[in-house]
Amino acid sequence: MMGSGKTTVGRLLARELGYQFFDTDELVEEIAGCSIAQIFADAGEAQFRQLESQVLEQLCAYQKLLVATGGGIVLSPKNWSYLHHGLVVWLDVSAEQLYRRLQGDSSRPLLQNPDPLATLRSLLASRQGLYAQADLRLVVGEGETPEAIVRRAIAEIPKCLKTTTVDLN
């Protein structure tokens, strides 16, 4: 979800793993030559989602890459085929925490309404089942630092990796 700390945690985790880091939102803005808010205003959410999918499709071809995605990227089944080229981590943050983090942030088009907390609750409720398909769920506690989240991720990731044993006897 927006405001969950994907970019901050992602950058730190990528550095710790020795991976390159990319944020799909940043790449979409770079390609479009304008902000996400401007894309939403000029072309609508559907156009933004299309650009987001194109960026993800290109990124999934690489290895040793950590990608922070927009919170709505899970809405497209096609995107899941791209996401499953790697390990998917869900930073599970409550709507109330998200609201506190995002208060006053005018760059979030979906929150530009009279009741952003209700919007966050609704978005989270509608996406929860999709987020639950992640390989790893990290419930983020109130006030938990990005560094602490990275330490937990590093401890949990090996438990998610599939191992293949070959018996040559």
Side-chain angles (χ1 to χ4, degrees):
M1 277 289 290
M2 66 181 95
S4 65
K6 298 180 303 288
T7 300
T8 301
V9 171
R11 285 188 202 285
L12 293 171
L13 184 55
R15 187 176 315 130
E16 192 70 29
L17 296 172
Y19 283 19
Q20 283 188 285
F21 174 81
F22 289 97
D23 182 302
T24 58
D25 286 349
E26 291 173 1
L27 291 172
V28 165
E29 288 181 335
E30 188 177 312
I31 289 166
C34 62
S35 70
I36 290 171
Q38 196 63 50
I39 296 168
F40 267 71
D42 293 347
E45 184 176 359
Q47 179 62 29
F48 167 73
R49 297 291 174 209
Q50 183 178 6
L51 289 169
E52 185 179 55
S53 291
Q54 290 170 356
V55 164
L56 185 61
E57 178 183 14
Q58 295 298 313
L59 289 173
C60 79
Y62 296 92
Q63 295 182 349
K64 292 197 170 193
L65 188 71
L66 196 145
V67 180
T69 65
I73 210 160
V74 298
L75 299 172
S76 167
K78 175 175 70 172
N79 289 342
W80 275 103
S81 69
Y82 304 140
L83 291 169
H84 284 301
H85 283 244
L87 183 77
V88 179
V89 178
W90 170 23
L91 297 180
D92 186 2
V93 180
S94 73
E96 291 71 26
Q97 284 183 70
L98 295 171
Y99 177 71
R100 283 189 291 281
R101 291 177 180 191
L102 296 169
Q103 274 184 317
D105 185 344
S106 61
S107 70
R108 311 289 180 154
L110 296 177
L111 298 183
Q112 303 313 303
N113 63 62
D115 194 352
L117 178 57
T119 301
L120 286 167
R121 285 180 177 144
S122 175
L123 285 171
L124 193 54
S126 68
R127 295 175 180 176
Q128 198 127 22
L130 295 167
Y131 290 155
Q133 294 176 39
D135 300 299
L136 174 59
R137 176 184 179 195
L138 295 173
V139 177
V140 177
E142 184 70 46
E144 188 172 12
T145 66
E147 294 79 10
I149 297 165
V150 167
R151 285 192 299 274
R152 282 200 300 127
I154 296 226
E156 293 296 321
I157 287 171
K159 299 174 188 174
C160 300
L161 300 176
K162 296 175 183 159
T163 58
T164 304
T165 306
V166 176
D167 187 359
L168 298 175
N169 291 332

